[in-house]
Amino acid sequence: MNHSTRKYAVAMLSLAVLNQSIAFGAYAAAGPSAGKAATAAVSTLEGLGAVSLKSGVSVKLLDAALQPQESGNMITYTLNYVNGSNSNVSLIDYFSKVTTSSGAVIQGKPVTGSAAIKSIPANSSQSVTYYVNAGKAAKITGVRIALYGWDFSQANYQKKLGMFTIPGSYSEATARGQSKKLVLAGMPVISKAESLQIVKANGKVYARVGISFANSGTKVLKDTGLKGYLISSGGSRFELNAAPADYQIQPKEQRTVQYLADIPSYTKTDNMSLQFVQEDSELQLNLPVAEYKLPAAQSPNFILPANAVAKLKVANNTIETQLASTAVYSEDHLAKWSLKFRVRNTGNQAVTIPAYPFSLTTAEGYSYPVSNKALAGLSLKPLEERVVELSAELPLKLNQGVLQLQMNEPAEEGRIAFPAAYYQIPYSLQPNHLLATEYPVQNSLGTFVVKLESVERLPWSDRDQVVTKISLRNSGSTNVQLPALTALLKAGDLDISGSAQMVIEGSKSQLAPQETAVLYITGNLPYSYQLTKLKVILQYPSEETQANFLTLFTSQVENTLRTVAAGEPFRLELAGKKAEILERQSRIYPGADSKLIYTELVMTNEELRKTQPAQLVGYYRTPDRQYFEAVISQSAAALNPKEKSLVTVWSKLPPEINASDLTLFLGEGTAEGKLTAPGAVPAAYIETVGLGLSPANPAPQPSLQKLDLFPYSLSVNQVTATMPEDRESIEVQMNYRLTRSEQYVAEANEHKLVAELIDPFGQPSEQLLPLGDGPAGAGATGSLSFPLNNKAYKALNGGTVRLNIYDEFQGKRILLGSQNYAVVYERPAPKKTEGE
């Protein structure tokens, strides 16, 4: 070869190398495999054999694929170079050309990932992926790939070394049930098409393709870099979206990734395939990576019968989901649904529940949203189970008997919401919880047994209060921390939540297994309101909203008050305030325009420690259910075990009321979630008992030697009445002894002792006997003087006066005793004469 010929050949060689370097980029990763998108041998190309490049160096065609694109259909093929010699082989010395099915001849260029591979080291192999723009060529079969080497002895300096012709039997798609080896992000991965599901929902047709990836590498595979297309047998292509899009595959882990597409309803779904492509950003091309023949399409039934369990995949864990129970009630033309949803982690790793979208779908085709805040983001440990409450509102005019709770797979914005499970909702009205009947309850905090112990309706000033007593038992096997519960109350269609108060006996905040808490929920309503049903909803704060703890509905709203016969004691059983109460006496203070009913109670501390008693609240009730609010006075002093205190109760009555027929209803006052102390102002009262009374006024004593006004006792020791002759006055002196019993702790006494003196002409004169508070058993002696003046007394030379002792309370009196005393007529001593 002369000098000019050599110069021309070198120039051509340099131009070819430069073109490859500029156009091909770096697609195939360095190493023994074909970089980011290289594939293993396809069985139908094995028979093509190898092309020898030179002694000890050969090349085989591993695979070939065609990807339709707007800029022209792209053909990619992968050549595997095997260097069995003892020296490196430069790839600059070799190139390949593609002859398409239309006859066009195009030189192959390395994809970006393979452009950096310039040589094959001695005794090694290397795969390189090339591409050509085949224009409108529509098939891969019949394509010829020829191998060339530079040969300066040839006219065009190129020597054809061999050729691969892709046979007509070749399919670029992996056969059904077969796996395909890929290299993704530099890691070996085994892939396989697992399933194809076709679902009709919400007026659309969805396809879901399941592809498993087994990461054989040593690092986490965070992004496969693959973009999928669903291909119909007629050649239609539909872009697929991974769900979820941000999955990760751990080393040695196999995971099935779901790909979703929205397809036309007329699309034939037999003999479909999936093709993965990968974007070559340098070339701005989507290059085919792999294609799979998909299994026969299945149409899964997502509709579950009542109480059935749906198993769903979250990451690599399986969770069980179930619509555990439902209830509905009507309010303001709305059907308000409460849905208890159970979820259980059956896997061996902790799992966080994604934000599954929920909706209620009616038979008329309407769909209504269901809040998923209670479920989204919920973390479950292995084998942990939680029950959350979902709620929704539907127009009452829609058919409530044929509803579905639709649960879709989580979808990013703009992505397809593929069905996860459709739960049939059995139509059931809000259950009527019966008194003294146990009902199981599950919620996100645990499992419980709830019992409606009682419903009481009681007077409260000019309104009524309704008191619901509920027992809550922890039926689980672990401790449960009770949250800060609040109550919503609905009396029929009347929302009385604004006045709702709740007290937990003993202020329990944690329940051990099988331990029970007693809850009292109170609320006020108009006393004339006809109460036929009651609904109690207990809630607790959960993130940005209030979550339901439990809901009770009952039509058993008749009073369930305890009553105790006259003379019998009753017990207050609330923890920390246990006491026994017994009527000591009841009296009726008469009056012209009104009268008083007065009751003394003995309260005995039944606790084992010194305890401050509960503030009592009371009402007197007539047989025809007229209520009279009682004024209660009791000591705020703490009582030792078995120590007693005296409690006084009274109320003003119209004169026509028969006070002998009254019942005293007593309860323990509450406010701000706890029992009120004596002297505090209660907002409600609970644990009410009806106490039969035995009102009886003491008969007036004919002697004033011993009169009882508990805790006082009065003895009138001496009464003298003297009337000097020719005087207009009578002088009366009363000497007495007053003692006080310290048997009971008592508040300051509001009674008064009144001494009334009636003169011989029937005219009264009054004096108050001061009530002292001396020590027990001590006697206080005293005297009272009654100076009586009347001109008519001059005509008297004797006679009697009457002394009456009264118990006065709130301005009304009861005569305790009365006694007459003679008036001593005192004549002056005769004057002595002189000399006597």
Side-chain angles (χ1 to χ4, degrees), residues 23-156:
F24 299 167
Y27 186 81
S33 301
K36 204 171 182 183
T39 62
V42 179
S43 59
T44 53
L45 296 180
E46 285 288 340
L48 298 181
V51 172
S52 176
L53 302 183
K54 66 177 185 178
S55 176
V57 179
S58 63
V59 63
K60 294 185 68 173
L61 177 63
L62 294 185
D63 65 10
L66 184 142
Q67 163 71 13
Q69 296 187 37
E70 293 295 328
S71 60
N73 296 338
M74 307 302 299
I75 291 177
T76 60
Y77 56 97
T78 300
L79 299 177
N80 185 48
Y81 296 92
V82 179
N83 180 8
S85 67
N86 294 324
S87 59
N88 291 353
V89 174
S90 174
L91 292 183
I92 294 177
D93 296 334
Y94 305 97
F95 55 94
S96 59
K97 293 181 180 181
V98 175
T99 303
T100 69
S101 56
S102 62
V105 179
I106 309 164
Q107 183 168 328
K109 302 175 182 178
V111 298
T112 302
S114 294
I117 303 174
K118 304 298 184 182
S119 63
I120 310 299
N123 297 308
S124 70
S125 64
Q126 190 84 318
S127 295
V128 180
T129 300
Y130 301 88
Y131 78 98
V132 297
N133 188 331
K136 295 183 179 180
K139 58 182 181 177
I140 192 69
T141 57
V143 169
R144 299 189 298 274
I145 302 171
L147 277 299
Y148 292 86
W150 297 110
D151 187 345
F152 298 124
S153 65
Q154 301 295 319
N156 58 356

Side-chain angles (χ1 to χ4, degrees), residues 573-632:
E573 298 289 355
L574 291 181
K577 301 292 182 182
K578 292 180 180 179
E580 181 186 85
I581 292 180
L582 176 67
E583 178 195 18
R584 184 183 178 277
Q585 68 170 346
S586 292
R587 293 182 177 183
I588 300 169
Y589 289 80
D593 299 325
S594 64
K595 56 188 173 185
L596 292 182
I597 177 70
Y598 170 87
T599 302
E600 285 179 356
L601 304 171
V602 176
M603 177 185 283
T604 305
N605 178 20
E606 294 292 329
E607 292 288 345
L608 300 178
R609 298 290 185 273
K610 190 173 186 177
T611 306
Q612 187 182 49
Q615 170 69 56
L616 298 180
V617 178
Y619 284 81
Y620 289 96
R621 191 183 78 178
T622 66
D624 60 351
R625 294 185 180 275
Q626 296 181 68
Y627 287 92
F628 297 91
E629 187 171 354
V631 179
I632 297 181

Side-chain angles (χ1 to χ4, degrees), residues 45 70 84 209 216 221 260 313 339 358 485 493 497 526 537 566 626 633 697 738 781 802 815 818:
L45 296 180
E70 293 295 328
V209 182
S216 302
L221 179 60
L260 308 179
K313 281 285 188 180
L339 310 151
F358 287 88
L485 295 172
D493 296 328
S497 301
I537 303 172
Q626 296 181 68
S633 176
N697 289 358
L738 186 68
T781 59
R802 175 173 290 276
L815 181 62
S818 180

Side-chain angles (χ1 to χ4, degrees), residues 453-458 469 520 558-565 569-574 579-581 621 663-668 686-692:
E453 300 282 358
S454 64
V455 177
E456 301 172 355
R457 182 170 182 171
L458 297 159
K469 180 180 178 181
Y520 298 84
E558 67 273 9
N559 263 358
T560 54
L561 292 169
R562 289 186 295 157
T563 57
V564 176
F570 71 89
R571 291 174 59 87
L572 302 177
E573 298 289 355
L574 291 181
E580 181 186 85
I581 292 180
R621 191 183 78 178
T663 301
L664 175 59
F665 285 91
L666 291 170
E668 299 178 69
I686 60 177
E687 280 296 301
T688 303
V689 177
L691 177 63

Side-chain angles (χ1 to χ4, degrees), residues 804-825:
N804 298 322
I805 304 297
Y806 290 97
D807 165 21
E808 182 178 300
F809 186 78
Q810 300 298 321
K812 300 187 184 300
R813 296 178 177 179
I814 294 176
L815 181 62
L816 298 179
S818 180
Q819 189 170 343
N820 291 333
Y821 297 92
V823 177
V824 178
Y825 184 75

Side-chain angles (χ1 to χ4, degrees), residues 207-407:
R208 178 164 69 177
V209 182
I211 305 293
S212 64
F213 296 98
N215 181 4
S216 302
T218 58
K219 296 180 181 178
V220 177
L221 179 60
K222 296 183 177 180
D223 182 11
T224 63
L226 300 177
K227 186 175 183 179
Y229 289 91
L230 181 64
I231 305 173
S232 72
S233 57
S236 298
R237 303 171 65 85
F238 307 99
E239 185 175 345
L240 291 163
N241 293 307
D246 57 347
Y247 61 86
Q248 295 183 0
I249 304 174
Q250 301 293 329
K252 312 306 178 185
E253 180 187 20
Q254 179 174 315
R255 180 172 179 176
T256 298
V257 179
Q258 303 294 335
Y259 292 85
L260 308 179
D262 181 350
I263 64 177
S265 59
Y266 52 80
T267 303
K268 292 184 177 181
T269 59
D270 54 335
N271 296 319
M272 301 190 90
S273 61
L274 164 70
Q275 185 182 53
F276 279 135
V277 301
Q278 205 164 37
E279 182 183 11
D280 191 318
S281 57
E282 292 289 332
L283 301 177
Q284 296 184 349
L285 295 173
N286 285 329
L287 302 175
V289 174
E291 188 171 340
Y292 309 82
K293 286 290 184 181
L294 295 177
Q298 295 180 338
S299 296
N301 183 12
F302 291 96
I303 299 176
L304 298 172
N307 301 318
V309 173
K311 294 185 177 182
L312 306 176
K313 281 285 188 180
V314 176
N316 239 18
N317 274 26
T318 298
I319 62 170
E320 287 183 355
T321 64
Q322 181 187 30
L323 186 57
S325 65
T326 65
V328 62
Y329 69 96
S330 61
E331 183 178 287
D332 299 330
H333 307 293
L334 291 175
K336 297 195 172 184
W337 282 88
S338 173
L339 310 151
K340 294 291 180 66
F341 193 79
R342 183 182 71 87
V343 58
R344 182 173 185 264
N345 178 12
T346 62
N348 55 11
Q349 295 180 345
V351 65
T352 299
I353 307 301
Y356 287 101
F358 287 88
S359 63
L360 272 188
T361 302
T362 70
E364 295 86 348
Y366 299 105
S367 182
Y368 291 86
V370 176
S371 174
N372 66 349
K373 288 184 178 180
L375 187 64
L378 181 67
S379 293
L380 295 177
K381 299 174 183 176
L383 304 182
E384 184 179 6
E385 180 177 307
R386 300 285 288 274
V387 175
V388 299
E389 183 164 337
L390 310 175
S391 60
E393 296 181 355
L394 309 180
L396 198 57
K397 62 183 179 181
L398 296 179
N399 184 355
Q400 307 296 314
V402 186
L403 293 177
Q404 276 186 357
L405 175 65
Q406 295 192 353
M407 178 183 184

